[in-house]
Amino acid sequence: GVPAAECAGLVSVTDVFATVCELAGRPSPAEDSVSLVPYFDDPGQPSLRPWLYAEHFRPNGFGPPNSWAQAMRDGRYKWIRREGEPDELYDLQLDPFEQQNLLPGPLAPEARQAYGQLLASRPKVY
């Protein structure tokens, strides 16, 4: 591995499962987990994931939620949808603290393309 190296790859807490399984020489049972072991030798490599997805809903458990929110990001852009509110899109390179929602408004071609790809890739939960 590379001591004290920084990795810019997109990672999720679910990736701990595949990482531990690979280190133990076992296959990972988790479908949504990506092993982080390749980053140990080359932390500068391209992200092993094209995007990250997160959701929040209440109440937790079975049955339809009373409220929900979804968020998804790629290496640069982050999309957020909250129940009953307009979508949000942030350029995390230029606005890492998410202060300037790019929606509504005219989007640069790269932002428009990223927005479309994030929407097309999201799980159809709500």
Side-chain angles (χ1 to χ4, degrees):
V2 181
E6 185 175 320
C7 177
L10 298 174
V11 299
S12 171
V13 70
T14 62
D15 297 336
V16 171
F17 297 113
T19 304
V20 170
C21 288
E22 183 173 339
L23 291 172
R26 302 283 187 195
S28 173
E31 293 179 16
D32 62 346
S33 186
V34 174
S35 174
L36 304 177
V37 170
Y39 292 133
F40 298 168
D41 290 326
D42 183 7
Q45 72 174 306
S47 182
L48 299 172
R49 292 178 164 276
W51 47 262
L52 291 173
Y53 173 80
E55 63 184 15
H56 173 78
F57 52 92
R58 289 183 187 202
N60 193 8
F62 298 103
N66 293 332
S67 66
W68 55 266
Q70 296 173 288
M72 199 162 176
R73 68 160 292 184
D74 62 16
R76 181 170 182 177
Y77 294 94
K78 181 177 180 182
W79 161 80
I80 301 171
R81 177 171 288 167
R82 293 180 179 94
E83 180 181 25
E85 296 182 25
D87 281 7
E88 300 170 36
L89 183 70
Y90 299 97
D91 182 336
L92 298 175
Q93 271 184 356
L94 301 176
D95 181 18
F97 298 106
E98 302 172 17
Q99 300 298 305
Q100 181 61 46
N101 181 6
L102 300 175
L103 300 172
L107 293 176
E110 184 179 352
R112 187 176 322 108
Q113 180 180 4
Y115 182 50
Q117 288 175 337
L118 290 171
L119 289 178
S121 299
R122 81 187 196 283
K124 307 298 188 266
V125 179
Y126 308 107

